[in-house]
Amino acid sequence: MANSAMKGYSLLILLITATIVSAKKSGDVTELQIGVKHKPASCEIQAHKGDRIKVHYRGKLTDGTVFDSSFERGDPIEFELGSGQVIKGWDQGLLGMCVGEKRKLKIPAKMGYGEQGSPPTIPGGATLIFDTELVAVNGKGTGAEESDNSEL
């Protein structure tokens, strides 16, 4: 009897370990991760809570599926930082960013769309990955939002 109980216990440990390993492999995160991909040489304009900011972004799921992108539209999103107009991961992940800076945000579901997701493009419990670029703060920026057409 003790031997079969031990086998059952071992199987349970194995299943728990496999679940933890597969969760880590999937790219899911439990806390906000901020990666600075490019920082301008000088940071004269920084984003603070209450600022009106313009941000270019590309949103992806952990499997690489792009669900939205302002880069393709050529139209950055504009909103008041820290006021709840966007998901929590953005309100926190863009604080202190310099105009012209590029960040990669890995946002856990609890700071994104939660367990309900945003059907049909974002499943419930999804970790979100955003490539972001701060274009302007309170109307002052690099002019990057217009620069794409200047070479035509």
Side-chain angles (χ1 to χ4, degrees):
M1 184 85 156
N3 196 16
S4 66
M6 192 61 141
K7 284 182 182 176
Y9 180 73
S10 296
L11 182 60
L12 179 62
I13 295 294
L14 184 63
L15 287 173
I16 291 171
T17 304
T19 303
I20 292 169
V21 168
S22 76
K24 286 183 180 177
K25 283 184 183 175
S26 71
D28 286 338
V29 296
T30 57
E31 299 300 325
L32 176 64
Q33 294 180 6
I34 302 169
V36 176
K37 298 301 174 189
H38 169 77
K39 193 144 185 153
S42 68
C43 182
E44 296 164 22
I45 306 169
Q46 244 183 340
H48 300 96
K49 185 176 180 177
D51 286 341
R52 188 131 195 96
I53 66 172
K54 274 189 180 182
V55 179
H56 260 310
Y57 66 93
R58 180 175 296 104
K60 299 180 285 190
L61 301 175
T62 55
D63 69 1
T65 303
V66 175
F67 58 81
D68 194 12
S69 176
S70 70
F71 289 108
E72 276 68 26
R73 288 192 302 276
D75 186 24
I77 186 173
E78 186 172 352
F79 62 95
E80 184 181 318
L81 186 59
S83 67
Q85 293 178 1
V86 293
I87 60 175
K88 283 183 186 179
W90 272 39
D91 268 345
Q92 292 181 23
L94 302 176
L95 285 170
M97 198 169 178
C98 302
V99 170
E101 184 176 335
K102 296 177 184 181
R103 289 184 181 177
K104 177 176 274 194
L105 306 178
K106 289 186 180 180
I107 302 173
K110 67 183 178 185
M111 296 179 78
Y113 293 100
E115 292 308 312
Q116 73 278 5
S118 182
T121 52
I122 302 172
T127 289
L128 307 175
I129 301 169
F130 284 95
D131 296 314
T132 63
E133 179 178 358
L134 185 60
V135 176
V137 175
N138 297 323
K140 297 175 184 163
T142 62
E145 66 268 33
E146 292 92 23
S147 66
D148 292 340
N149 297 329
S150 64
E151 295 177 23
L152 298 178

